[in-house]
Amino acid sequence: MAHSHKAKHYTGLMDWLTTVDHKKIGILYLIAGGLFFLMGGVEAILIRIQLLYPDNKIFIGDTFNALTTMHGTTMIFFAAMPIIFAFMNAVVPLQIGARDVAFPFVNALGFWLFFFGGVMLNTSWFLGGAPAAGWTAYVPLAGIVDSTSSYHGVDFYVLGLQIAGLGTLIGGINFLVTIINMRAPGMTYMRMPLFTWTAFITSALILFAFPAITVGLVELMFDRLFGGAFFEVSKGGNPVLWEHLFWIFGHPEVYILILPAFGIISEIVSTFSKKRLFGYSSMVFATALIGFLGFMVWVHHMFTTGIGPVGNAIFAVATMAIAIPTGVKIFNWLFTLWGGQITFSTANIFATAFIPTFVMGGTTGVMLAVPAADFQYHDTYFVVAHFHYVIVGGLVLGLFAGAYYWWPKMFGRLLNETLGKIHFWTFFIGFHLTFFPQHFLGLMGMPRRVFTYQPGVGLEEGNFISTIGAFLMGIGMIVFLINIIATSRLPQNAPADPWDGRTLEWAIPSPPPEYNFKQTPLVRGLDPLWKEKMAGNKEMTPAEPIGSIHMPSPSILPLIFSIGFFIAGFGFMYHTYSVSAVGMGIMLLTMFLRSVYDDHGYHIEPEELNDKGVKA
């Protein structure tokens, strides 16, 4: 052996708790995000059950407020974000021809911080009550603290999001470094797949947007736990400051969510049309422009706060401008489909259904960008319908498309197409039944965040249809779970390239070996695998001879560090500083161990590669 470092190999549960392999971390993100998605979905169905009939008294008052708060917070921060990170972890290093992410240890740390942040938030249900101030946590609702009360709901929100947000931030930095530094030879920026481009710009948005919410959460934590005065009017604070900090983060967050879905749709539409993506360079620049303009529109969430006509007008124009690069993307997808040899697999049905559905969400977004009109729409169900058309009709359909597309690459098994199509139709019809009537409920004056409504004012039919639609979406999710369970019992026999793909992830076995590529591939153009196929080659042209491959060692430290942070959070929340000291001590100890122990990793030698009989 040329290298003396021995490999640490764990099996079973320990393997998953200590892994720093980007592919396994992607699966961990997918499982955790999926569990939180189911929790958020159950909360949504409970909300709709309460609104099924007027004057229902099932979930009322603070219980209803807690359901709406937890549904929104869970879906945005703990379901959508981790599933996006699941695909970024599973796919981006493969698409750029890398053997791992730039910082595997930090990647694992990012996952465990996110996971324990989500666990902390959801323990609030069992420890005195979940947060009930709305998912935006507007003060003074989120700022009121009664020293005699045992209610800590908003504290769980603040500390849970702080811990999870730190994990997301370091994850975003990791992907920025990975994409900048670890592309295969020949993989120039303008040869990167669209999904990698959207992951890159999303990571940049995370880097610049998350500090704003971090500052806001720290200030809210000081107000609640230490008697601060950032948002307390009686002490000279300003509640509108929270709105600015939240939405300076919150609107880029919308694009952090939707841009990866744009990337997924671009990959799938191109693959299943048997065509290169139409207008590739314009798609790249449109993505970058959306990311840039996303930081200039946050006040359209605040038109009614009294900023004044000049401020409102500036942000209205910026909001309308962001529709232009989005429109470029829509037409490019349509032109990619136009004249293509289209295969309507489940992945492509979700992708093509995404296009008109997202256009509907964008259209109502432009309506809300008009300040005078927004004064009427604001805080009505029209806004609820709008952002669900964007987030569910856009992001979630995109994530389902990505799941069916990349499932064989991640797990080595193809999901059942028949069950997939049943899942699509039940979910898609249920989605439109749920949210289309809500536009009209809003225009008729039904406010958001109310747990009841009066009979005889014309709101019964819309709410009844909306609730039936929510149940249909739930049935679609059950079909999806059945598909996953049934597929997991099959052998791992998916081909390396089941869809006749165009990008590098389809050039290696499914699931990929731990080192991804036996030899780093040489990229000779856009859609590199397709280019090799057209040249008559069976596999990618290697950029290097077969040699020793360096691999990072697994580590339990990211998990232990995150547990320490979790413990410290509870100590601060309950003013039990001895507990905080224990948690902080665990964190410092893991940081010390990481600093002083020089882990060189291990190597996989060429003879081991050949023994495994793996084809590059």
Side-chain angles (χ1 to χ4, degrees):
M1 299 288 284
H3 301 85
S4 59
H5 305 303
K6 290 186 178 177
K8 285 188 206 167
H9 279 302
Y10 298 104
T11 55
L13 180 62
M14 196 65 182
D15 179 31
W16 291 95
L17 296 179
T18 61
T19 187
V20 295
D21 181 350
H22 71 94
K23 299 176 289 296
K24 288 181 178 175
I25 290 169
I27 291 170
L28 288 172
Y29 268 117
L30 192 64
I31 293 168
L35 288 172
F36 286 125
F37 188 88
L38 292 175
M39 291 165 68
V42 168
E43 288 155 0
I45 286 174
L46 297 179
I47 290 166
R48 288 311 320 165
I49 288 172
Q50 166 59 26
L51 293 170
L52 181 60
Y53 297 111
D55 281 339
N56 248 356
K57 292 182 171 59
I58 304 170
F59 306 107
I60 61 173
D62 266 357
T63 305
F64 186 85
N65 293 340
L67 283 172
T68 54
T69 302
M70 289 295 285
H71 165 67
T73 308
T74 301
M75 284 303 202
I76 296 290
F77 295 103
F78 299 106
M81 287 293 295
I83 295 172
I84 287 167
F85 265 88
F87 292 139
M88 285 166 64
N89 267 287
V91 177
V92 168
L94 303 183
Q95 285 197 334
I96 62 173
R99 291 211 169 95
D100 209 319
V101 293
F103 308 114
F105 181 92
V106 173
N107 200 21
L109 181 61
F111 167 75
W112 289 112
L113 284 169
F114 141 74
F115 179 72
F116 280 103
V119 170
M120 172 170 273
L121 178 68
N122 281 278
T123 55
S124 62
W125 286 113
F126 311 103
L127 295 172
W135 81 272
T136 55
Y138 279 179
V139 288
L141 289 175
I144 298 166
V145 182
D146 180 357
S147 58
T148 63
S149 172
S150 62
Y151 173 68
H152 288 278
V154 177
D155 298 331
F156 282 100
Y157 173 96
V158 169
L159 288 160
L161 287 191
Q162 295 245 53
I163 295 170
L166 181 61
T168 304
L169 181 60
I170 64 177
I173 294 168
N174 204 350
F175 278 103
L176 278 175
V177 178
T178 301
I179 295 169
I180 290 168
N181 280 350
M182 299 185 69
R183 287 167 286 127
M187 177 67 76
T188 62
Y189 283 107
M190 293 310 287
R191 287 177 178 174
M192 293 196 314
L194 241 292
F195 180 69
T196 298
W197 258 114
T198 55
F200 183 56
I201 292 167
T202 295
S203 300
L205 294 182
I206 288 170
L207 178 63
F208 290 111
F210 266 77
I213 190 72
T214 303
V215 168
L217 289 168
V218 167
E219 292 179 352
L220 187 55
M221 180 177 74
F222 271 82
D223 275 17
R224 290 187 59 83
L225 300 183
F226 308 118
F230 289 103
F231 309 122
E232 182 65 53
V233 176
S234 63
K235 298 177 181 176
N238 186 350
V240 178
L241 173 62
W242 166 263
E243 291 191 42
H244 279 293
L245 287 170
F246 185 89
W247 288 117
I248 287 170
F249 150 79
H251 202 84
E253 169 69 10
V254 173
Y255 296 104
I256 289 168
L257 296 175
I258 203 66
L259 285 179
F262 287 171
I264 293 167
I265 301 307
S266 300
E267 300 290 327
I268 292 172
V269 164
S270 174
T271 297
F272 290 105
S273 300
K274 294 285 184 286
K275 282 175 66 181
R276 176 179 158 172
L277 186 69
F278 184 92
Y280 169 86
S281 55
S282 66
M283 289 290 259
V284 170
F285 292 121
T287 306
L289 188 57
I290 288 169
F292 179 70
L293 291 174
F295 283 96
M296 300 183 178
V297 298
W298 80 89
V299 172
H300 69 216
H301 297 270
M302 302 168 55
F303 281 152
T304 59
T305 53
I307 286 166
V310 174
N312 283 358
I314 291 168
F315 283 94
V317 170
T319 304
M320 293 175 196
I322 211 164
I324 296 168
T326 310
V328 168
K329 287 182 164 292
I330 300 293
F331 283 107
N332 282 2
W333 290 324
L334 294 176
F335 288 139
T336 304
L337 288 164
W338 185 269
Q341 300 173 23
I342 302 173
T343 306
F344 281 112
S345 65
T346 303
N348 200 30
I349 293 175
F350 272 108
T352 48
F354 164 100
I355 299 171
T357 311
F358 184 77
V359 168
M360 291 177 69
T363 304
T364 52
V366 175
M367 294 170 69
L368 288 161
V370 181
D374 184 72
F375 269 67
Q376 305 302 316
Y377 305 138
H378 192 76
D379 268 346
T380 72
Y381 258 74
F382 187 85
V383 179
V384 178
H386 155 69
F387 68 69
H388 280 90
Y389 262 82
V390 172
I391 300 299
V392 184
L395 170 65
V396 174
L397 291 183
L399 294 179
F400 282 139
Y404 282 94
Y405 184 58
W406 282 312
W407 200 269
K409 188 53 60 181
M410 293 176 74
F411 296 97
R413 301 175 178 92
L414 285 154
L415 287 169
N416 183 285
E417 285 286 307
T418 303
L419 286 174
K421 289 179 170 116
I422 294 169
H423 167 212
F424 168 76
W425 286 112
T426 49
F427 190 89
F428 186 71
I429 293 168
F431 162 75
H432 284 286
L433 277 178
T434 303
F435 298 109
F436 192 70
Q438 292 182 8
H439 293 99
F440 301 100
L441 291 172
L443 294 174
M444 293 163 74
M446 182 172 174
R448 296 169 68 180
R449 307 186 184 96
V450 293
F451 60 81
T452 191
Y453 52 95
Q454 294 303 308
V457 293
L459 301 177
E460 295 96 331
E461 293 84 357
N463 276 294
F464 185 83
I465 293 167
S466 192
T467 300
I468 298 302
F471 277 105
L472 200 53
M473 290 169 77
I475 291 168
M477 285 305 304
I478 292 168
V479 173
F480 185 49
L481 288 174
I482 291 168
N483 198 348
I484 291 171
I485 293 164
T487 304
S488 68
R489 297 180 175 179
L490 300 175
Q492 288 187 324
N493 58 2
D497 184 15
W499 314 121
D500 195 16
R502 309 176 73 85
T503 45
L504 285 178
E505 74 266 33
W506 306 112
I508 56 176
S510 302
E514 58 182 327
Y515 47 81
N516 297 347
F517 296 90
K518 186 162 73 168
Q519 294 165 277
T520 301
L522 179 66
V523 175
R524 299 197 290 178
L526 183 63
D527 292 343
L529 179 59
W530 191 258
K531 196 166 184 68
E532 298 293 334
K533 288 177 182 177
M534 292 301 101
N537 299 327
K538 298 287 187 188
E539 56 188 36
M540 291 299 299
T541 303
E544 60 179 6
I546 293 177
S548 178
I549 298 172
H550 176 260
M551 301 297 295
S553 297
S555 175
I556 196 71
L557 293 181
L559 173 61
I560 295 172
F561 180 92
S562 304
I563 291 170
F565 212 154
F566 182 72
I567 293 168
F570 275 101
F572 285 121
M573 195 184 312
Y574 289 99
H575 297 278
T576 310
Y577 296 114
S578 57
V579 174
S580 296
V582 170
M584 299 292 279
I586 292 170
M587 291 164 61
L588 290 169
L589 178 63
T590 55
M591 291 165 71
F592 175 76
L593 290 174
R594 175 67 180 169
S595 300
V596 299
Y597 177 57
D598 193 11
D599 190 339
H600 295 285
Y602 63 97
H603 287 81
I604 299 173
E605 301 301 333
E607 54 268 26
E608 295 178 80
L609 298 174
N610 293 331
D611 288 344
K612 294 176 183 179
V614 177
K615 292 180 181 177

